[in-house]
Amino acid sequence: PVFVYFTADWCVTCKVNEKAVIERQAVADAFAKRKVAVLVGDWTNGDATISRFLERHGRSGVPLYLYYRPGEEARTLPQILTVDQLLAAAG
């Protein structure tokens, strides 16, 4: 499994989600137990490749959170995350 998220230093929602949810010990433990790789796309200074990726997922900006399970399409998670949502995605 892979958890991909796109963020920017100026994105308040992104920073709140990172501190309140993504960086929580319960999430880290669940991801480690399930061997979830975490990839981060930093859009702080803009990036054409990330912009195109966001557009393909119906977004004009960050945050964007995607969870990939082997053999399945990416699951798009809400822009406001909760610990329970990430734990459920990790299954």
Side-chain angles (χ1 to χ4, degrees):
V2 180
F3 175 60
V4 180
Y5 69 97
F6 295 88
T7 184
D9 287 347
W10 43 260
C11 172
V12 175
T13 302
C14 302
K15 295 303 156 195
V16 169
N17 284 332
E18 288 165 23
K19 294 294 179 200
V21 179
I22 297 170
E23 296 174 4
R24 295 286 294 271
Q25 192 62 50
V27 172
D29 292 345
F31 280 11
K33 179 179 178 182
R34 292 166 182 89
K35 298 181 178 158
V36 176
V38 177
L39 302 176
V40 181
D42 185 351
W43 203 51
T44 299
N45 297 314
D47 178 283
T49 302
I50 291 175
S51 295
R52 286 189 298 275
F53 188 88
L54 293 169
E55 287 172 9
R56 282 195 308 272
H57 285 85
R59 299 286 171 84
S60 59
V62 291
L64 174 62
Y65 304 103
L66 301 169
Y67 195 88
Y68 293 86
R69 289 183 185 209
E72 296 181 13
E73 292 291 320
R75 177 176 169 203
T76 302
L77 301 175
Q79 289 183 314
I80 306 286
L81 291 175
T82 67
V83 170
D84 288 342
Q85 287 168 334
L86 274 188
L87 296 178

